[in-house]
């Protein structure tokens, strides 16, 4: 679900019509987004995508622009505040998140420049925290945070949705198809890095600490809190029979993160099945819906939604 790249398919009598997702937002933004439509207009503000490094290599060490920077330089209304939800992690898998305590910005930049100029490896863990990852971890990556997924992870990236502005600082000396070093963005990256996100701050503020919000016979709702810089929040819905959910004035973006198959039933009578790792959206106007485990298998579904505007960080006023 990356709306700037997504189309919508309509089918009738064996004919297909594809239009951009924007058409739906232009026609029905309030029905889709609910209370936040006044702020986001025709922009769908959340994306779900996958970072797959299983049997692969580390992603680049990178940073996303701060809110004022992306507006001033690129004209985007929001920036790429994101989270990593770990769907799968091989033994020994890592994620790079935040700086080591006491890191010196000038020394870090000199080390990056030396690596780029001489094609010599950077000792990444001297500067950046490498944290073991486990299934169902939620890592918080507000703008300005140095980060990257290490090898051996399948990550569900839950993110705000500007277009593509990622400043790569180190790419493990990989070459492009022409045999040249892949481009880095050191100047812009250092204009955005938050060096206060280091040491103890990483564990305290960048690792979500889940807590049970509600529970009953065969079900529970777990809050996986996001960062204060995020305007979206995350719940994990765990059940082995069925669970009733209200949209509460927000679109819900969902993905099955544990189990083989879940069935969605809306109040209007729509019924659809979704498999592991598939993403689906319930618009705010649906009001309520039901998630069903038809086989009695224990399921877990991640639900992302827009926080009430009173909980948004300062400066998030897209329109």
């Amino acid at each position: 679900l990356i709306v700037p790249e997504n189309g919508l398919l309509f089918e009738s009598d064996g004919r297909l019509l594809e239009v951009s997702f924007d058409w739906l937002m232009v026609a029905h933004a309030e029905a889709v987004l609910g209370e936040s439509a006044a702020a986001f207009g025709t922009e769908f503000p959340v994306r779900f995508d996958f970072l797959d490094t299983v049997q692969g290599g580390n992603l680049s060490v990178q940073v996303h622009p701060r809110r004022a920077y992306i507006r001033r330089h690129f004209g985007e209304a929001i920036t790429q505040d994101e989270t990593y939800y770990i769907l799968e992690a091989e033994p020994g898998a890592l994620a790079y998140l935040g700086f080591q305590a006491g890191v010196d910005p000038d020394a870090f930049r000199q080390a990056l420049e030396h690596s780029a100029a001489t094609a010599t490896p950077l000792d990444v863990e001297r500067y950046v925290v490498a944290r073991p990852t486990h299934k169902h971890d939620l890592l918080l990556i507000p703008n300005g945070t140095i980060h990257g997924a290490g090898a051996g992870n399948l990550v569900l990236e839950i993110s705000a949705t500007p277009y593509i502005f990622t400043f790569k600082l180190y790419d493990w000396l990989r070459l492009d198809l022409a045999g040249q070093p892949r481009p880095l963005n050191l100047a812009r990256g250092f204009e955005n890095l938050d060096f206060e996100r280091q040491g103890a701050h990483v564990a305290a503020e960048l690792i979500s600490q889940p807590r049970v919000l509600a529970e009953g016979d065969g079900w529970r709702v777990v809050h996986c809190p996001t960062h204060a810089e995020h305007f979206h929040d995350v719940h994990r819905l765990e059940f082995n029979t069925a669970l009733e959910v209200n949209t509460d004035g927000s679109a819900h973006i969902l993905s099955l993160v544990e189990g083989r198959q879940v069935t969605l039933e809306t109040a209007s009578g729509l019924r659809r099945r979704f498999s592991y790792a598939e993403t689906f959206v319930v618009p705010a106007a649906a009001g309520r819906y039901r998630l069903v485990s038809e086989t009695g298998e224990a399921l877990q579904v991640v639900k992302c939604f827009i926080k009430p505007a009173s909980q948004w960080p300062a400066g998030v006023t897209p329109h």
Side-chain angles (χ1 to χ4, degrees), residues 50-125:
F50 297 101
L51 310 174
D52 183 359
T53 62
V54 175
Q55 298 181 10
N58 300 323
L59 294 188
S60 64
V61 179
Q62 57 188 244
V63 64
H64 299 301
R66 301 199 194 198
R67 193 169 296 113
Y69 192 93
I70 200 170
R71 287 180 178 174
R72 182 169 66 251
H73 291 275
F74 302 112
E76 289 282 342
I78 56 178
T79 193
Q80 193 169 327
D81 294 301
E82 63 187 26
T83 68
Y84 282 179
Y85 191 97
I86 307 299
L87 282 178
E88 305 287 348
E90 296 180 325
L94 303 171
Y96 298 90
L97 182 66
F99 286 108
Q100 298 283 5
V103 70
D104 178 74
D106 291 335
F108 182 47
R109 182 158 188 168
Q110 290 173 14
L112 289 169
E113 291 174 343
H114 175 77
S115 171
T118 61
T120 55
L122 175 74
D123 182 4
V124 174
E125 294 183 30

Side-chain angles (χ1 to χ4, degrees), residues 207-227:
I207 311 298
S208 184
Q209 301 298 322
R211 63 184 182 89
V212 176
L213 282 183
E215 59 185 327
D217 185 15
W219 65 271
R220 68 177 187 171
V221 176
V222 178
H223 184 203
C224 303
T226 56
H227 194 272

Side-chain angles (χ1 to χ4, degrees), residues 296-315:
E297 178 187 18
L299 302 182
Q300 296 186 32
V301 175
V302 157
K303 178 191 82 178
C304 179
F305 58 98
I306 306 300
K307 297 175 182 177
S310 61
Q311 297 178 23
W312 292 358

Side-chain angles (χ1 to χ4, degrees), residues 168 171 174 176 180-185:
K168 297 185 177 185
D171 200 22
R174 284 185 284 246
D176 63 18
Q180 299 300 313
R182 300 210 299 189
L184 301 174
N185 311 99

Side-chain angles (χ1 to χ4, degrees), residues 22-36:
D22 298 339
W23 286 40
L24 175 64
M25 297 304 296
V26 169
H28 299 292
E30 187 171 355
V32 174
L33 293 181
E35 295 172 359
S36 63

